[in-house]
């Protein structure tokens, strides 16, 4: 199995991305601007940001006013798997939320997932479930939820730093999360290749009733043609999440495509930094946990309706999230904002008049629509791998984008 190399979106040029693809790697994106600061007890080259005390209420909390959900839903009785770089359970706002998990990072010697050498997973988990503490304006959107940490990578802002994960490890993490009772899977990373093991693990997860939420990626405009298809976000019945800033506009790096189902705050997001501070993070990675937290709120509020009893429940939760989204400056659904901007309060308290079409792709039909991409994967080729010329790579990208859009929107030959 080829390694999963984590490419930081702001430290990696489009040339480097193409070189990685030609080298037949499977890049995964962890979108966080992490300053240099050695992490004690972690391998040389891994980095932690220097945490600070932030007393102001972060802009996403001002936008969402989560206090309106007090007494309605807080995520209680719902376990959210954070499949990421681990979650540091020492953080005072996470101590009561983090369960013992798993470590599938090659060379780590195993563990319970509660170690984080790059702060990415800890930040993501805190957006979901950080509890309020005196002197801090920051808290998670679903503070009653429990976090199941599963470590699959530790590569942060420097491509060569830390131990890289594998697609097989990601697939194992997805399968294990469902087995351990996670009802929401937060995947703030991207594989730019359709991997058969990951695809099957995602299929099994959603059929078991687990809501899978994944990043749309941060590679917009970095290569000719359409943005590369991100996985797992590109798979059927996965909620693909793009990012907006405080002004409500899509982040320049946030990818554009039919795999974007919803957008959420992803710029200057306040989140936890090990061992006890707070920091500011940017990228689609940090938009994902707002959506995961909302899924947990829905399941907490409607335990019978949103019980993990199969694919229909996943689609019910997805329809609530997409069908109650706030309007965005794009068509509905559009390739930039999906169905709009996440509104957790409306998702929990309102019932959409009609189910959002993006929540209704049958797995079988969508898989057939992706046959060309899957066949390329079975031959060991990367999604955008020609090794010959940039023009050919652009043609493959265009074909993959068209196939993906057709599959997700039930397009058939001869239809507009």
């Amino acid at each position: 199995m080829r390694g999963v190399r984590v490419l930081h979106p702001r430290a990696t040029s489009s040339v480097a991305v193409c070189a990685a693809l030609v080298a037949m790697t499977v890049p995964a994106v962890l979108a966080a601007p992490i300053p240099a600061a050695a992490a004690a007890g972690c391998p040389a080259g891994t980095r932690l940001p220097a945490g600070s005390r932030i007393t102001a209420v972060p802009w996403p909390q001002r936008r969402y006013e989560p206090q309106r959900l007090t007494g309605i839903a807080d995520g209680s009785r719902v376990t959210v798997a954070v499949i990421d770089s681990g979650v540091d359970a020492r953080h005072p706002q996470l101590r009561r939320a983090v369960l013992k998990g798993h470590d599938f990072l090659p060379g780590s010697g195993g563990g319970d997932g509660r170690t984080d050498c790059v702060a990415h997973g800890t930040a993501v988990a805190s957006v979901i479930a950080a509890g309020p503490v005196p002197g801090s304006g920051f808290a998670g959107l679903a503070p009653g939820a429990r976090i199941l940490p599963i470590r699959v990578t530790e590569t942060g802002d420097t491509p060569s730093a830390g131990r890289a994960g594998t697609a097989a490890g990601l697939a194992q993490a997805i399968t294990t999360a469902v087995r351990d009772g996670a009802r929401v899977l937060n995947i703030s990373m991207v594989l730019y290749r359709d991997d058969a093991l990951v695809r099957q693990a995602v299929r099994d997860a959603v059929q078991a009733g687990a809501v899978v939420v994944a990043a749309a990626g941060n590679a917009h405009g970095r290569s000719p043609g359409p943005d590369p298809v991100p996985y797992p976000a590109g798979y059927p019945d996965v909620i693909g999440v793009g990012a907006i800033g405080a002004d409500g506009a899509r982040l320049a790096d946030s990818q554009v495509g039919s795999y974007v189902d919803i957008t959420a705050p992803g710029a200057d997001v306040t989140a936890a930094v090990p061992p006890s501070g707070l920091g500011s993070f940017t990228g689609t990675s940090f938009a994902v946990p707002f959506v995961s937290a909302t899924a947990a709120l829905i399941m907490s509020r409607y335990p019978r309706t949103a019980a993990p009893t199969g694919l229909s429940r996943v689609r019910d939760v997805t329809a609530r999230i997409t069908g109650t989204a706030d309007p965005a400056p794009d068509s509905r659904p559009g390739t930039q904002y999906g169905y709009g901007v996440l509104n957790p309060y409306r998702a929990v308290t309102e019932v959409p008049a009609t189910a959002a079409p993006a929540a209704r792709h049958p797995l079988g039909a969508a898989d057939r629509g992706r046959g060309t991409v899957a066949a390329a994967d079975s031959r060991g080729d990367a999604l955008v791998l020609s090794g010959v010329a940039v023009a050919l790579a652009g043609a493959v990208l265009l074909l993959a984008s068209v196939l993906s859009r057709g599959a997700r929107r039930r397009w058939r030959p001869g239809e507009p």
Side-chain angles (χ1 to χ4, degrees):
M1 176 60 65
R2 298 182 182 89
V4 175
R5 186 154 68 92
V6 179
L7 303 179
H8 187 268
R10 299 184 186 237
T12 307
S13 67
S14 58
V15 174
V17 172
C18 291
L21 290 169
V22 171
M24 300 181 75
T25 60
V26 185
V29 176
L30 295 184
I34 303 177
C42 292
T46 54
R47 308 204 176 171
L48 278 176
S52 61
R53 183 179 179 184
I54 299 176
T55 58
V57 177
W59 74 265
Q61 288 178 231
R62 295 197 303 271
R63 178 187 179 100
Y64 288 143
E65 298 181 329
Q67 63 272 17
R68 293 189 297 165
L69 288 168
T70 301
I72 299 175
D74 66 355
S76 296
R77 302 179 302 279
V78 178
T79 297
V80 180
V82 173
I83 300 174
D84 210 287
S85 63
V87 178
D88 193 320
R90 298 173 299 168
H91 197 282
Q93 292 189 260
L94 286 171
R95 284 175 186 160
R96 297 181 180 180
V98 183
L99 306 171
K100 289 184 178 180
H102 305 275
D103 193 330
F104 298 132
L105 178 64
S108 66
D112 62 10
R114 296 189 292 183
T115 297
D116 184 4
C117 296
V118 295
H120 193 275
T122 303
V124 166
S126 69
V127 172
I128 299 169
V133 294
S136 174
F138 167 71
L141 185 58
R146 292 294 175 262
I147 299 296
L148 178 70
I150 305 183
R151 187 162 73 146
V152 295
T153 186
E154 67 180 11
T155 308
D157 62 334
T158 305
S160 60
R163 291 163 291 190
T166 65
L170 175 57
Q172 186 178 10
I174 293 169
T175 300
T176 301
V178 176
R179 182 202 68 192
D180 285 2
R183 297 167 66 186
V184 181
L185 277 56
N186 187 107
I187 305 178
S188 289
M189 62 179 64
V190 173
L191 296 176
Y192 285 121
R193 193 188 77 175
D194 176 8
D195 182 86
L197 291 175
V198 176
R199 185 186 341 116
Q200 185 62 51
V202 169
R203 180 208 295 261
D204 293 343
V206 297
Q207 288 183 329
V211 176
V212 181
V213 190
N218 308 295
H220 179 63
R222 295 190 181 184
S223 60
D227 294 339
V229 178
Y231 299 99
Y235 290 131
D237 293 296
V238 173
I239 304 176
V241 185
I244 62 164
D247 60 356
R250 179 183 61 83
L251 293 189
D253 290 342
S254 184
Q255 288 184 214
V256 172
S258 61
Y259 42 79
V260 178
D261 295 308
I262 194 93
T263 53
D268 303 316
V269 174
T270 297
V273 172
S276 60
L278 297 174
S280 181
F281 299 83
T282 293
T284 58
S285 284
F286 303 100
V288 175
F290 287 102
V291 180
S292 296
T294 301
L297 291 171
I298 293 169
M299 290 182 166
S300 176
R301 176 67 179 86
Y302 307 102
R304 296 185 64 183
T305 301
T309 55
L311 180 58
S312 63
R313 301 309 184 196
V314 171
R315 290 175 174 170
D316 286 343
V317 173
T318 305
R320 277 187 170 273
I321 290 171
T322 57
T324 59
D326 291 335
D330 194 6
S331 59
R332 183 181 175 93
T335 57
Q336 297 190 62
Y337 298 85
Y339 282 88
V341 179
L342 176 74
N343 187 320
Y345 182 80
R346 291 186 61 200
V348 172
T349 61
E350 297 180 14
V351 178
T354 57
R360 306 293 178 183
H361 348 267
L363 282 169
D367 284 350
R368 288 193 296 272
R370 294 175 189 272
T372 301
V373 176
D377 179 57
S378 68
R379 292 193 301 270
D381 299 329
L383 182 62
V384 194
L385 178 62
S386 68
V388 179
V390 173
L392 181 57
V396 175
L397 266 172
L398 179 60
L399 176 61
S401 176
V402 171
L403 287 173
S404 175
R405 182 176 292 115
R408 288 178 70 86
R409 298 188 179 175
R410 296 181 175 180
W411 173 86
R412 291 184 175 87
E415 296 180 352

